[in-house]
Amino acid sequence: LENSVQAGFMIALGWGNTISGISRNLGRLIPLNTSFVTLCGGVMNYLSERTTDSVGTPLSGFRYPFLVIPTPLMVSSRKLRDQMISEPEVKKVMEMAKSSDISMVGIGSLMPSTEFSRFGYKSKKEMNSLEKSGAVGEMHGEYFNSEGQSLEIEHHHRLITIRLETLRKMKHVVGVAGGKEKIDAIAAAIRGGIIHSLITDEVTAQYLLKNSIRRK
C-alpha cells in the first residue's frame, strides 16, 4: 500500500482484524493528503476494537482523514436498512467509498469461528446449512458461492455495506487473506472478479497458481 498510493488517493478499508491492522501499522511513506473511508458500517469495529496483541483502536494515533459509514454493519430489518442508507450522511460516505482508488478487503472462510458468527451462523448445523446452499466464503457479512456470486440469504438485505456486485466495478480491490482454510474462499473471490489483486502467503499463492485459478 505504501508503495502504491499517490498523492490525493482515497483508500477504502473493509472489515476484519487484518484490515484494521493496516491503520495501526502504516509508516510515514503515504502522502499526508491521502484519505481513508470504510466499505461497510460497523462503527464500533473501527473505533472501539481491542485485540490481544495491540493496545488501542484501529485509529489510535492515525494521522490521516478517516471517514466511517455512521451505521452498524447489520440492522434488524430490510426496511430499516433502506431508511438508513437513504440518509444524506450515510449516502455521502458510501458514494465516497465507491469512488476509492484502492480498496483493501478481507476474505472470510466458511468456519464456525468466522467473525460473522454473530449473524446467527454459529453452530455446525447452521454452517452445514450455509454450505449446502453453496457458500464457500464471505466478505463484509455477504456470503458467496464457488463462482464468487452472492447467495440469496435473508440477512444480506439487512447489511449496510458496499455489496459484492459493486466491488467488482470499483477501480482496484485488493484481497488480503491467506491460509489453507481460506483457499476455497480466495479462489471464489478471484473467479468472481470480486478482487483484482491478492496479498497472501507463499503456500496459498502456489496452490492458486498450480490450480490455475483465474479471474473471469
Side-chain angles (χ1 to χ4, degrees):
L1 186 61
E2 290 173 344
N3 293 330
S4 302
V5 172
Q6 300 175 25
F9 264 28
M10 170 76 74
I11 311 299
L13 298 180
W15 180 289
N17 291 333
T18 302
I19 301 302
S20 295
I22 291 172
S23 62
R24 292 192 185 97
N25 295 287
L26 281 177
R28 298 278 172 168
L29 300 178
I30 290 183
L32 280 173
N33 61 346
T34 303
S35 53
F36 289 75
V37 64
T38 66
L39 285 166
C40 53
V43 174
M44 298 304 290
N45 178 69
Y46 295 100
L47 302 183
S48 302
E49 180 182 289
R50 294 290 191 277
T51 64
T52 56
D53 59 352
S54 179
V55 177
T57 74
L59 300 186
S60 292
F62 201 58
R63 61 202 289 264
Y64 304 94
F66 198 105
L67 297 168
V68 179
I69 297 173
T71 68
L73 174 57
M74 189 175 77
V75 293
S76 58
S77 70
R78 183 172 185 168
K79 180 179 179 180
L80 180 57
R81 189 281 308 265
D82 291 344
Q83 291 174 336
M84 294 190 78
I85 63 175
S86 66
E87 286 293 319
E89 186 64 23
V90 176
K91 186 181 295 186
K92 177 182 176 181
V93 179
M94 292 187 80
E95 287 303 316
M96 293 180 75
K98 292 176 186 178
S99 65
S100 59
D101 297 284
I102 298 176
S103 302
M104 310 288 285
V105 300
I107 302 171
S109 58
L110 198 66
M111 298 171 62
S113 60
T114 176
E115 293 173 57
F116 291 95
S117 61
R118 70 188 71 183
F119 293 162
Y121 301 106
K122 309 181 204 182
S123 70
K124 184 68 175 174
K125 181 179 179 180
E126 289 165 328
M127 296 306 289
N128 285 341
S129 176
L130 267 176
E131 192 170 5
K132 287 179 181 177
S133 70
V136 298
E138 58 79 19
M139 193 176 292
H140 311 154
E142 186 174 0
Y143 286 88
F144 52 84
N145 63 20
S146 61
E147 297 302 314
Q149 301 301 313
S150 179
L151 300 177
E152 184 57 40
I153 298 175
E154 185 275 332
H155 89 251
H156 286 178
H157 301 292
R158 296 186 282 124
L159 291 170
I160 299 177
T161 182
I162 303 301
R163 298 290 298 268
L164 302 184
E165 60 192 48
T166 301
L167 281 174
R168 289 187 181 91
K169 303 171 187 176
M170 289 169 59
K171 291 181 184 176
H172 191 173
V173 179
V174 181
V176 186
K180 182 179 179 180
E181 73 282 358
K182 290 193 175 184
I183 283 177
D184 288 344
I186 295 170
I190 294 172
R191 285 193 201 99
I194 302 171
I195 61 173
H196 310 130
S197 298
L198 175 67
I199 297 174
T200 190
D201 61 272
E202 185 176 358
V203 174
T204 301
Q206 287 178 339
Y207 176 88
L208 294 170
L209 289 170
K210 182 179 179 181
N211 288 276
S212 300
I213 304 300
R214 295 284 186 269
R215 181 184 176 193
K216 287 188 175 181

